[in-house]
Every structure is written in structure tokens, then in C-alpha cells.
Amino acid sequence: MKRYHVTTFGCQMNEHDSERMKGMLESIGYAEAPDPDAADLILFNTCSIREAADSKFLAHLGHAKRRKRERPDVVIGVGGCWAQSVKDEVFQKFPFVDVAFGPGQVHKLAEFLTSESLTAQGYFEFEGFAGDLPEKRAREFQGWVQISVGCNMKCSYCIVPSTRGRDVARPLQTLVADVERMASEGVTEVTLLGQNVNAYGRDLHRRGFTPATFAQLLEAIDAIDGIERIRYTSPHPQDMKEDVARAHAELSALCEHVHLPLQSGSSRLLKAMRRTYTRERYLDRVALLREHVPDVALTTDIIVGFPGETDEDFEQTLSLCEEVAYDGAFTFVYSPRRDTEAADFPDQVPHEVKVERMDRLVETIQRNAHERAQRFVGRTLEVLVEGPSRKDPTRLRGRSRHNKVVNFVGLAQPGDYVHVEIERATSQTLTGEESLLARATGGAAALAR
Ligand code: SAM
Ligand code: SF4
């Protein structure tokens, strides 16, 4: 039996594409190898969002090249956003690569592997979503659902629209059928994926499908038996409307967590980024969410050192972070990307200024997240158990509905929902003990979401 190994870089969308690559490879008779050296097919699912992602991948590719020299029959494949951004150039630069494909072309990999000729081949069309691929889930109780491909926004720093194409929604009925199938296979938590999830459905009518909004999709998935938790990433602040905020209050499976990418707290910079909202509009969206779900956990993405960012702009980002008091954030140093508008902007910020601002931003985020997390101490939270704790295997690790990692002492199994009494909180994790009272009474006694 032939064996494959997939190395994944980047976001959850890529993680999900890799699950589909693995499922598809197993359906054509391949088995997973524990490391690339034991594989007949070495695959990379690449990311190109920042320069660091490119460099990390290129180091891995060097290893694959040496492997191919030792064993010329090994097949080397490169998929994902980096492959899409360089297209056929990949074969000129790295002649040992056998097959390359963009993010929408996962299914072409099977076509390539099962065809007679193995001359190098590239697949870079945007075809929408390649459906009906089996996925091999990392945990059988958690599933990803890609609700749309691509992005219609034009954020001036971002390479995604050129690597993933226009926003194309998958029809609501298809998504519901997918989640029903997943629920029947034991999935209880789903994460809906898209680049701008709350713009979902705008193209459905034009393409001849029943129109649907993101809030309607959430409602339809909430109604599916067996689905206990719904998460999604990422919404765009421009499209965060009252119906979605209300859904958070009304739908029992929809978690009390929203990841709402900010990018900058300065309206001037937001305009240069083409983010289509101002600082005030963003704060209105936060107020709307907190009005409907006062305890909602908010996380975000922030870029420091965007071209032209002044001290004053940066201070505005810090002050917004103090005002919102996020539960957590992904912080990124701006990285110029090929074929993006901002890469040619004047006033690129010097590296040492970026680093200094990043330190201050991380301090602000962590201090606020630490303070926010104290609200959980003394509460009993519902936790979905994921496995043993990474640092201390005698403890268990799971996630609360607010998407906080919870390490705790308990008897549960991966996939169980348990109630944990929270004793301590840091900016990143909560620590506690499984509520045995709740276990004895089947959970009814101690639930406080
Ligand atoms: N569509 C999502 C959104 O708008 O939030 C996710 C886009 S991207 C995969 C995730 C994050 O990467 C963005 O929110 C942004 O903060 C960051 N990012 C994108 N391009 C970047 C760049 N050129 N330099 C630094 N960070 C970048
Ligand atoms: Fe990139 Fe902006 Fe689209 Fe997000 S919304 S994927 S940042 S263009």
C-alpha cells in the first residue's frame, strides 16, 4: 500500500483542505505515513499570508528535495495558497515538484495520481468548491464546514482574493445535508469556515439557488439533532448585523464567542487598508454584540506596522484594545505581499518600529485578556473534552463555549461535555476541576454557561 504525508501551513481553511486531501487519498488506497521520510507521496498544503509562511514552507521543501534525490519515485506535491500565487513558476524554481494545485483544486490531486502519466502537472483554475470529498477528521467529534470559497473584499494588504478567487457560497441545503451527515458520524461541534462568513449567500439567488442569509444558515444548523456547538470564522465587521447578534442570544448551539477582525484602531489607516468601516462603526458592532450577549468573548486580528502607520495611529489601536478589552487576539507584523496594493505604498514602517509596537500591543492584549478571564473564576463552565493537557498529561484539556482552553482534573473522555468548576484564569487558559456533582446528576445541577 502506498503511503502519504501531508504538512499543513496556515489557517483553519488549510487545515480543513488537508483533511479533505487525506480523506480523498485514503479513498484511492493510500495510508497515512507518520513522517515524510516514510512516505511515497510528500504533500505540502501551503500558506502565503505573510512572508514568514513562505520561508517556513521553503525550508521543508528543501528536505523533500533531498528525499527525492535518494528515492526518485517519491511524488512531491504542493497545494494551497502559495502554489496558487506562483502557479507554474513552481516547476521552474523547483523542478523536483511533480504536482502543484491551488486551494480549490484538491480533487485534481486524485486525478493526477490515478492517471497513467506522471509528468509534472499544475492545476490553478478557480472552480468554486470541490464538494463530495471525504474528510479525515483530526477528532471525530469536531468538524469544519466550508460555507463559501474566496473573498470579494479588497483589503489592500491581503493576498487571499488572488489565491482563493471570488466569494462563492455553497447552497444552504447542501450545507445542512453535510452537517446532518457529520452529526450522524458523531460530530457535535461544527466550525463554519469562510473568508467573510457573514456575507454568506449574497450570490445564491443569482446562481439559481434558494436565497439565504448567514443568520438563516446558523438557524438551520442549530436545528440539526446532535449539534451541540456552532462556531464560525471569520466575520467581517462591515457585515456584522443585528440578525447575527440576535442569533447568538437565541440559538442554543451558537457559542458565546465572536472573532471580529479589527486590523487597526485608526480610521485613517482602516481606509488605507480598504476595510470599509471606521473605528466608530467597529465599536458600534462590539456594542451590538454585547447588548445581545453581555458575556460574549471577543477576539480579533490586528496588524501592526501597516505602511504609513504613525505613532498616533498606533496609539488609537492601543486605546481601542483598552476600550474593547478583548479575550484574546492574533497579532501580525505587516508583511508586504506580491500583487497587493499596499506592497507598493510609500512609508513602509521600519522593522524596529514594528517590533517595538508589537511588544506594546501584545502587553495590552494580554493584560486585558487576563483581567477579562477572571470573570470565569468561581463559575462552572461546560467544557468539550479534547484530550490530555499538553503540559500535564494527568490532567484533561478542553474548550469552553467562550473558546477558552480549560485544563482540569477529571474522569471524562475526549468528546464528552463536562462541567468544570473554574479555579484560576490566565490570559490564555482556565484551570479547574470537573464538577462531580454535575456528573452525578447528569449535568443538570451545575450548568452556568
Ligand atoms: N478573511 C479573514 C479576515 O478578514 O479576517 C481572514 C484573513 S487572513 C487568513 C487572517 C489575518 O491575517 C487577517 O485578518 C490579517 O490580520 C492577517 N494578514 C493578512 N494579510 C496580512 C499581511 N500582508 N501582513 C500581515 N498580516 C496579514
Ligand atoms: Fe483578506 Fe480582507 Fe478578504 Fe479577509 S476580508 S480574506 S483580510 S481581503
Side-chain angles (χ1 to χ4, degrees), residues 49 150-161 195-196 234 236 263 273-275:
I49 198 81
C151 184
N152 286 357
M153 304 304 290
K154 296 188 171 65
C155 302
S156 58
Y157 51 81
C158 186
I159 198 169
V160 169
Q195 298 299 341
N196 181 359
S234 291
H236 193 293
Q263 315 303 358
M273 290 176 165
R274 296 197 186 281
R275 284 296 286 180

